[in-house]
């Protein structure tokens, strides 16, 4: 998860940082804290993009005191595909497994095996019980961007242009050349 965060955080200029990602998402972060401290279970969230969901998980955990933060982050594993996730069934160490758009049966199997499972779904999810990441208010996003290093005008333009979307904001502030889809 830390490697995924580093890549996400370095993808914009200036770096958005955890503060921007957590803006307006206190309830979502509180839910993550309850999940990491509870018995193994599946927590399902919907984000505009899977990368945003992973970055949000890191940002929420990063709020913890250093010893706790390191303990949780050291047990986080991003399973990029189904085969990798299946390989984690039966692993003796209890992990915090991050899955993108997982099969619900596999996520449940991992949780039953003693792992905490953070299931991330993109914006195309149409059914199921998931927690949708809140979108920050434009004014709050603008304030967070100022704290991240943008001047007042740049923060104002970026916050307005993003339309309350962290994923769109990230596209508006690339650290390097971007491929057209």
């Amino acid at each position: 998860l830390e490697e995924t965060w580093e890549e996400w955080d370095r993808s914009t200029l200036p770096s958005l940082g955890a503060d921007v990602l957590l803006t307006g998402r206190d309830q979502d972060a509180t839910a993550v804290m309850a999940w990491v401290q509870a018995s193994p279970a599946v927590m399902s969230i919907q984000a505009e993009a899977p990368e945003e969901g992973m970055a949000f998980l890191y940002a929420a955990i990063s709020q913890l005191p250093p010893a706790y933060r390191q303990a949780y982050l050291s047990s986080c594993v991003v399973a990029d595909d189904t085969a990798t996730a299946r390989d984690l069934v039966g692993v003796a160490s209890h992990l915090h497994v991050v899955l993108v758009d997982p099969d619900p049966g596999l996520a449940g199997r991992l949780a039953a095996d003693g792992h905490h499972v953070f299931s991330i779904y993109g914006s195309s999810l149409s059914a199921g019980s998931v927690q949708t990441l809140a979108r920050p208010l434009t004014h709050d996003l603008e304030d967070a961007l100022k704290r991240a290093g943008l001047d007042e005008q740049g923060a104002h333009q970026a916050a307005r242009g993003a339309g309350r979307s962290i994923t769109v904001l990230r596209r508006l502030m690339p650290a390097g050349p971007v491929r057209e889809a």
Side-chain angles (χ1 to χ4, degrees):
L1 186 62
E2 288 175 287
E3 291 172 9
T4 301
W5 168 257
E6 285 294 322
E7 293 169 14
W8 194 91
D9 194 43
R10 293 172 190 246
S11 68
T12 61
L13 280 177
S15 163
L16 294 179
D19 183 43
V20 172
L21 245 141
L22 294 172
T23 297
R25 294 175 167 173
D26 292 344
Q27 288 181 329
D28 297 324
T30 299
V32 167
M33 290 300 93
W35 168 76
V36 297
Q37 296 172 13
S39 299
V42 177
M43 179 176 187
S44 298
I45 64 131
Q46 182 177 21
E48 289 185 62
E51 297 82 12
E52 180 181 349
M54 286 185 258
F56 173 77
L57 176 60
Y58 177 90
I61 292 172
S62 75
Q63 301 289 305
L64 293 169
Y68 292 101
R69 176 178 55 234
Q70 196 53 43
Y72 287 122
L73 289 175
S74 67
S75 71
C76 282
V77 176
V78 176
D80 291 335
D81 56 48
T82 302
T84 302
R86 282 195 180 108
D87 287 343
L88 298 174
V89 174
V91 170
S93 298
H94 296 291
L95 302 170
H96 289 81
V97 181
V98 179
L99 302 175
V100 175
D101 199 25
D103 174 87
L106 178 57
R109 184 175 174 204
L110 286 164
D113 198 43
H115 302 295
H116 285 74
V117 180
F118 193 75
S119 297
I120 304 169
Y121 297 91
S123 59
S124 62
L125 183 68
S126 61
S129 176
V130 299
Q131 180 172 335
T132 302
L133 286 180
R135 290 178 141 207
L137 297 175
T138 303
H139 180 268
D140 294 340
L141 184 56
E142 186 175 331
D143 288 345
L145 289 169
K146 288 178 203 172
R147 290 189 300 273
L150 285 172
D151 63 29
E152 191 156 334
Q153 182 179 1
H156 179 77
Q157 288 176 338
R160 299 274 181 241
R164 299 179 57 205
S165 169
I166 300 296
T167 296
V168 171
L169 177 65
R170 190 170 171 239
R171 288 184 203 131
L172 294 173
M173 303 171 58
V178 179
R179 285 187 212 140
E180 298 261 341

